[in-house]
Amino acid sequence: MLETAVQDLKLLISEHDGTNVANRRFSRRVDELINVFYHDIGEITTVPTHTLFDLFVIKVLYVERSSTDAAVVAYLGQLLDRYLSTGDLFLESDDGALSVCSLPDLLQEMVRLKRFQNLSEAFRKYGDRSLFLSGVFPEALNKRARGGRAGSVVFVDRAYYVATGKRFYRMAAEHRLAEDTDQRDTLAKLSSYFEVYLDALNEMSERYIMGFDMNLIADSMLDSINTYRETGEERHLVNAGRYAAILKVNPAQFPGLASR
């Protein structure tokens, strides 16, 4: 149900590419689907990760920031799924050990072209990692990392990620292969509006990826308690306990939860 509903939203966005149709009804539907995700805590469900990431992008970018580009919405959902669900974010050393691939690491890989088929792919992936790392892991910024010539130290703060991300997305957009893959306009927008997408991912990470929306969790907990009082069904009390655990609620405040 959730997957089909999110696909319907993406189809509507695609059909109105170039305009924003996030009216009150559309926005309410997005919030309903996010609530469905949070209210499923007591059920065993299998929801593809790309569906959740698409939904979160639609919420923070299309609804809250009035984006009009369907291709960018789709691109960011795919980017999140690729880096959070696969090994694309990791770099394998000669001894087989894996580590997170930082931007300086990636620059060295780009120079050697070990992991890329061509410069166009290298430019795009450098832009992708700039946006992903600074968007999803903002707390990791303002650190020193080795990279560049002769292992020189690079200070990788937010400004560094923004500047390099914008630069490499622009270079990817200007490469002749961008036209062949029909990505020139999308990559150009990722360069021009990098900060907008970065802020959207920061909000998404804080609310949905690296943590939960605590207001929704609190509402869900209270809903479960009220439903238990109305129906007496044990499963609603169990769910309330799970929500309380996420919120780290003091059990003494809810004796009914602690007694079960």
Side-chain angles (χ1 to χ4, degrees), residues 37-42 207 210-218 220-221 238-250 257:
F37 166 65
Y38 279 101
H39 279 82
D40 266 351
I41 193 168
R207 293 176 63 180
M210 302 307 292
F212 291 99
D213 187 321
M214 290 306 174
N215 290 326
L216 285 176
I217 292 295
S220 296
M221 182 188 71
V238 172
N239 287 347
R242 291 170 176 166
Y243 288 120
I246 294 174
L247 289 168
K248 297 181 180 178
V249 170
N250 183 352
L257 299 182

Side-chain angles (χ1 to χ4, degrees), residues 10 21 47 54 127 140 155 159 235-236 240 250 257:
K10 290 182 65 180
V21 294
V47 180
D54 285 340
F155 190 69
R235 61 189 179 90
H236 297 298
N250 183 352
L257 299 182

Side-chain angles (χ1 to χ4, degrees), residues 78-254:
Q78 292 167 4
L79 182 150
L80 290 168
D81 190 48
R82 185 166 67 249
Y83 285 115
L84 288 171
S85 303
T86 71
D88 248 16
L89 184 62
F90 298 96
L91 186 67
E92 184 173 357
S93 63
D94 293 336
D95 61 3
L98 293 177
S99 61
V100 173
C101 186
S102 68
L103 292 184
D105 290 334
L106 182 65
L107 181 58
Q108 293 300 310
E109 291 298 308
M110 189 182 73
V111 171
R112 294 191 292 267
L113 285 180
K114 286 179 60 179
R115 306 180 74 203
F116 308 108
Q117 297 180 10
N118 50 63
L119 274 178
S120 175
E121 182 191 0
F123 294 154
R124 180 180 59 79
K125 287 215 170 184
Y126 199 78
D128 284 351
R129 281 185 172 84
S130 298
L131 182 56
F132 176 81
L133 291 173
S134 57
V136 178
F137 302 108
E139 72 283 355
L141 304 185
N142 301 319
K143 292 185 177 181
R144 296 182 181 274
R146 294 197 173 275
R149 296 181 178 179
S152 59
V153 174
V154 179
F155 190 69
V156 286
D157 58 3
R158 177 187 169 99
Y160 172 87
Y161 282 95
V162 170
T164 54
K166 291 171 73 75
R167 176 189 175 195
F168 281 94
Y169 272 138
R170 184 181 68 253
M171 293 169 69
E174 293 172 349
H175 196 281
R176 60 179 179 80
L177 289 180
E179 191 70 34
D180 297 339
T181 57
D182 198 29
Q183 287 191 316
R184 189 181 301 280
D185 289 344
T186 300
L187 293 169
K189 287 187 177 180
L190 287 167
S191 175
S192 298
Y193 303 105
F194 188 94
E195 294 95 333
V196 174
Y197 307 133
L198 172 59
D199 289 340
L201 292 186
N202 283 166
E203 179 183 345
M204 182 193 315
S205 176
E206 181 180 355
R207 293 176 63 180
Y208 305 122
I209 297 179
M210 302 307 292
F212 291 99
D213 187 321
M214 290 306 174
N215 290 326
L216 285 176
I217 292 295
D219 289 343
S220 296
M221 182 188 71
L222 294 176
D223 286 344
S224 294
I225 292 174
N226 290 331
T227 303
Y228 169 72
R229 288 171 177 168
E230 294 172 1
T231 66
E233 294 182 14
E234 185 76 16
R235 61 189 179 90
H236 297 298
L237 190 63
V238 172
N239 287 347
R242 291 170 176 166
Y243 288 120
I246 294 174
L247 289 168
K248 297 181 180 178
V249 170
N250 183 352
Q253 296 177 319
F254 297 93

